[in-house]
Amino acid sequence: MAVQIPLSNDARTHDQIGEERMREILPDVAYRRLTMVNVVFIGPAGAPDRGWVMADTGLVGFGATIFDAAVARFGAKSRPAAIIQTHGHFDHVGALEDLADSWDCPVFCHRLEAPYLSGQKDYPPPDAAAGGGIMPKIAPLLPRGPVDVSTRLQMLPEDHSVPFLSGWEWLHTPGHTEGHISLWRAADRMLVADDAIVTTGQESAYEVMVQEPEMHGPPRYFTPDWIAAEASVQQLAALEPETVVTGHGRAMQGEEMRRALHELARNFRQIAVPASRQ
């Protein structure tokens, strides 16, 4: 089950089905879809060297695509001040080592996520019985092993500030992983939720392909703690965000998005949790 969300007119202008390009959703927030996952660029177009921040680094093999997108938005000589990793799943860290080296920048994460980014710990096996499509069935074949950027890795500040991003804070939103974070800017209610919620189903290969806009909980087959995941969704719904970009699916904004997010929070176990975990 999923909660369907019609796109607002504003969101439609930024996102067309099947089109992969840089999408600016606010003057200083843009994202790029890479087949099935989004990476986020925080900083105004044309920002100077070290004047912007990258959130997540996509799939293996997309480093050059991300690098070229950054050059197109910020200029050939503009590097990020930092990379923020919301978590360390394979589809969010695929180009991390290459990009961190190319840009010579630090990588920040939650302390509980650090073992997965410093070569120390594998993620638990996926739930192949999660249902909803072909993806859970092939999930055991997907990488679970850690990447190792330990020489560049730093912990996010305990005061919840985000390095190099004034006005932003990080929120601990566990469930999908134990150290998963989201990024929040209260001034304009901008939320980078990553995989705490997603706006297209990740269990069905067809849904991944067509990007039909729906509000979902975190990807089922890689979410081990559903109690924590529910609490994270309730935390995000209480913020009343105006604009949301997630790790998978199209950016959303406005009242319809909030309505669906609240419905997900109220009925999380019926909507999001797989039958195998009920």
Side-chain angles (χ1 to χ4, degrees):
M1 179 179 180
V3 184
Q4 292 198 357
I5 315 167
L7 280 173
S8 71
N9 288 335
D10 286 344
R12 287 184 191 276
T13 64
H14 295 302
D15 207 350
Q16 302 298 323
I17 294 175
E19 187 176 357
E20 296 193 16
R21 58 179 174 80
M22 184 77 83
R23 301 163 171 101
E24 183 179 89
I25 53 176
L26 290 174
D28 64 345
V29 180
Y31 73 102
R32 176 71 156 78
R33 177 186 166 199
L34 305 170
T35 304
M36 59 174 283
V37 66
N38 300 322
V39 297
V40 183
F41 303 82
I42 304 176
D49 190 40
R50 308 305 192 192
W52 57 282
V53 165
M54 181 96 217
D56 285 353
T57 47
L59 291 156
V60 168
F62 282 91
T65 301
I66 296 171
F67 188 90
D68 290 347
V71 168
R73 181 163 177 81
F74 302 110
K77 296 183 179 181
S78 183
R79 299 163 296 172
I83 296 171
I84 309 293
Q85 280 297 150
T86 64
H87 64 299
H89 279 159
F90 78 99
D91 51 340
H92 295 261
V93 298
L96 177 60
E97 294 175 82
D98 289 344
L99 289 175
D101 286 343
S102 295
W103 286 328
D104 188 24
C105 67
V107 178
F108 287 88
C109 72
H110 190 281
R111 60 179 178 79
L112 293 176
E113 207 68 11
Y116 306 100
L117 298 172
S118 57
Q120 300 176 49
K121 193 174 181 180
D122 291 349
Y123 284 106
D127 182 2
I134 190 64
M135 296 303 291
K137 296 177 182 178
I138 67 172
L141 303 176
L142 300 175
R144 294 187 294 114
V147 297
D148 187 357
V149 290
S150 53
T151 60
R152 297 186 180 276
L153 195 61
Q154 298 184 36
M155 301 305 101
L156 286 162
E158 292 294 330
D159 65 2
H160 288 261
S161 62
V162 180
F164 309 107
L165 288 180
S166 177
W168 289 80
E169 61 181 303
W170 63 265
L171 309 172
H172 187 204
T173 47
H176 187 54
T177 71
E178 58 186 325
H180 186 284
I181 64 158
S182 301
L183 302 176
W184 168 248
R185 184 166 61 186
D188 56 0
R189 292 155 55 205
M190 173 71 221
L191 175 64
V192 179
D194 215 70
D195 281 6
I197 57 174
V198 297
T199 56
T200 194
Q202 287 302 292
E203 290 69 45
S204 163
Y206 174 78
E207 289 186 80
V208 170
M209 179 179 66
V210 301
Q211 298 280 290
E212 186 67 26
E214 296 178 342
M215 184 67 74
H216 290 258
R220 291 177 175 181
Y221 48 91
F222 268 147
T223 299
D225 187 342
W226 287 102
I227 294 174
E230 180 179 20
S232 293
V233 169
Q234 292 170 344
Q235 175 187 5
L236 297 182
L239 296 172
E240 303 287 351
E242 175 60 26
T243 308
V244 173
V245 59
T246 65
H248 305 272
R250 294 187 266 176
M252 306 248 174
Q253 58 190 160
E255 186 58 36
E256 286 297 310
M257 175 271 293
R258 286 189 293 274
R259 177 196 61 76
L261 181 54
H262 280 290
E263 186 171 345
L264 176 63
R266 285 192 304 270
N267 302 297
F268 185 82
R269 296 185 185 187
Q270 293 75 32
I271 294 171
V273 181
S276 61
R277 301 293 296 274
Q278 294 281 0

